[in-house]
Amino acid sequence: MLDQSESANEQATERIFGARPVLIDIRPAREAIASLGPRTVLHAGPPLPRGYEVSGALRGTVIGAALYEGWATTAAEALELLKAGEIDLRSAQDFNALGTYCGGITPSAPVIVVENAATGTRVFNNLNEGRGKALRYGSYAGDVLERLRWFERTCAPILREMVRRSGGIDVFPLVAQALHMGDECHSRHKAATTLLIAHLAPMIAAMNALPQEAAQVIKFIAGNDVFFLNITMAAAKTALLAAEGVAGSSIVTAMARNGVEFGIRVSGCGQRWFTAPVVPVEGQFFRGYGPEDANPDIGDSAITETLGLGAFSLAAAPALARYMGLTPSRASEVTHEMYKIVCREHPVFTLPQLDYRGAPSCIDVRRVVETGVTPITNSGLAHRDGGTGQIGAGFVRTPLKCFRDAVLALKLAS
């Protein structure tokens, strides 16, 4: 007979595994996200301590967002608005949204809409700009802003029509297939992005869009091998939201970083965040950069690891190891280590390199504390100056304090 916590965890995991996320739409954030204010910028991670304690890369994102929206005409003006409290900087997760790295969702920005067909819950994320110079990495260069405007005026409307004509795209079958094609579905999405193109391309012939514009959209996606990341993130979030609020459950439902703190949510504690200071990312830097240039860890993309993807499935992506500064054997060791802190193996996401064993899924805060093994998450690296953009990629081991605090809170609640 299961004890109360095991029964609660079984209920939570069944809700997670019962999710069916579907990409159903692309819409302006002001239309898709309820209660989004006219001068709001949604950032990654838990709410910022002391309201506006921002890292350099996030500061760059806010500047770029203000310039893109027309709230300011210069970087200096944008900073003054932020300092004066005239830009409402809010955690994306409070809106059932996600920030890829720094985030930067603003009212005019187009967002993907992923719905869990099992519950009706919707999650939102912005379109992925690609690697290097991007708003999500804190860059607000002229070409970055032009790309955002192209997203809004051309790319998003065409993508929206493609998605609608497709009848919606089931996300998890594509993720499962991509794991068998060399992706770990966080830092590497080459296969998943290609599979998405295969779904979308046939819609072009039936569309009203100009052929040249539609071709540009497909070309952009094809040239951005992490385009599918934002879709995976939203899909993972819809599944994990289904497990929030199961009394007594010790399953982690979110992991995220805001550039100051790392935070987790736990099923039995609902939307409460347990936080600790972020720790440095270990990784591979682009030529000319080093650890002293790196912004503190930030991003909501650890929602993929929370479900069992990313670093938890690193064994599936040996080609990614070198990009992260690892060997393929070390990548496999990371996945094996993560099995120690989960209570289930994912029934759909299987890893060929481990004889099709299910990916380690459903992190249990009690197991983390008992073993002393904390989750490892993949991460990009942005420059701390708030303008340069991406300077590398790597991984980070999450702080133990959050998990200890969550275990204590569960004990007090029982």
Side-chain angles (χ1 to χ4, degrees):
M1 183 176 179
L2 296 176
D3 65 29
Q4 185 176 358
S5 63
E6 288 176 329
S7 177
N9 283 351
E10 184 151 311
Q11 182 182 352
T13 54
E14 288 307 312
R15 289 184 183 185
I16 293 168
F17 294 157
R20 187 189 155 220
V22 181
L23 172 61
I24 61 169
D25 207 353
I26 293 96
R27 299 172 61 189
R30 66 167 63 90
E31 296 178 9
I33 304 175
S35 304
L36 189 69
R39 278 195 175 180
T40 299
V41 177
L42 301 185
H43 68 80
L48 288 163
R50 293 165 290 282
Y52 288 94
E53 187 175 345
V54 300
S55 61
L58 180 54
R59 185 169 58 250
T61 293
V62 174
I63 291 171
L67 295 173
Y68 162 64
E69 288 285 352
W71 304 332
T73 57
T74 66
E77 286 180 12
L79 279 176
E80 286 304 313
L81 290 175
L82 179 62
K83 291 175 183 177
E86 295 184 34
I87 295 176
D88 190 18
L89 197 54
R90 303 284 294 277
S91 169
Q93 299 218 22
D94 287 344
F95 294 79
N96 276 14
L98 296 161
T100 309
Y101 208 77
C102 292
I105 296 177
T106 61
S108 300
V111 293
I112 60 173
V113 182
V114 174
E115 180 178 273
N116 182 353
T119 62
T121 303
R122 292 183 176 184
V123 171
F124 316 98
N125 202 351
N126 46 18
L127 296 174
N128 191 291
E129 305 161 75
R131 304 187 192 275
K133 284 195 172 185
L135 184 73
R136 69 189 181 104
Y137 282 118
S139 177
Y140 50 90
D143 55 344
V144 172
L145 299 179
E146 278 305 306
R147 183 170 57 230
L148 295 178
R149 296 184 183 106
W150 177 75
F151 274 0
E152 179 186 346
R153 299 166 186 168
T154 302
C155 182
I158 290 174
L159 271 177
R160 182 184 196 187
E161 188 175 350
M162 287 180 182
V163 169
R164 287 189 165 191
R165 286 182 179 274
S166 73
I169 298 173
D170 281 326
V171 179
F172 281 175
L174 298 185
V175 171
Q177 189 174 354
L179 285 171
H180 291 193
M181 299 169 67
D183 287 354
E184 39 68 81
C185 297
H186 179 166
S187 296
R188 182 183 168 93
H189 268 92
K190 288 180 181 287
T193 299
T194 301
L195 293 170
L196 176 67
I197 292 171
H199 273 71
L200 295 177
M203 308 302 155
I204 294 177
M207 287 175 54
N208 297 320
L210 294 174
Q212 183 178 0
E213 292 181 339
Q216 286 175 346
V217 172
I218 293 297
K219 182 179 179 180
F220 173 79
I221 297 174
N224 177 5
D225 60 12
V226 288
F227 185 85
F228 202 84
L229 167 61
N230 297 38
I231 300 170
T232 299
M233 288 171 59
K237 183 67 177 176
T238 66
L240 291 157
L241 276 173
E244 275 195 352
V246 178
S249 173
S250 54
I251 299 300
V252 177
T253 55
M255 297 194 296
R257 308 88 78 203
N258 60 23
V260 181
E261 294 178 327
F262 172 88
I264 65 170
R265 285 181 177 175
V266 179
S267 174
C269 298
Q271 296 184 357
R272 177 180 174 184
W273 287 99
F274 300 92
T275 63
V278 294
V279 296
V281 177
E282 299 179 49
Q284 192 91 336
F285 288 86
F286 299 161
R287 185 183 298 274
Y289 299 105
E292 68 281 359
D293 301 309
N295 192 76
D297 194 26
I298 190 169
D300 280 334
S301 55
I303 198 70
T304 57
E305 276 84 5
T306 314
L307 186 62
L309 301 168
F312 279 54
S313 292
L314 203 54
L320 178 66
R322 187 174 183 180
Y323 179 68
M324 294 175 59
L326 299 172
T327 63
S329 60
R330 175 57 185 145
S332 183
E333 288 171 2
V334 168
T335 296
H336 280 291
E337 187 178 20
M338 295 302 97
Y339 282 110
K340 298 176 182 178
I341 57 174
V342 301
C343 62
R344 292 285 294 274
E345 295 182 12
H346 202 284
V348 174
F349 303 150
T350 58
L351 310 178
Q353 291 80 356
L354 302 184
D355 296 330
Y356 296 98
R357 186 177 181 182
S361 187
C362 301
I363 302 164
D364 185 340
V365 292
R366 292 190 176 102
R367 294 190 184 203
V368 171
V369 172
E370 288 169 2
T371 62
V373 175
T374 56
I376 294 175
T377 74
N378 294 346
S379 183
L381 286 160
H383 202 288
R384 63 171 60 250
D385 68 2
T388 298
Q390 186 184 13
I391 60 171
F395 63 96
V396 62
R397 189 177 287 278
T398 55
L400 184 59
K401 180 182 181 298
C402 317
F403 299 91
R404 285 176 172 160
D405 290 348
V407 168
L408 179 59
L410 288 168
K411 287 180 179 177
L412 293 174
S414 62

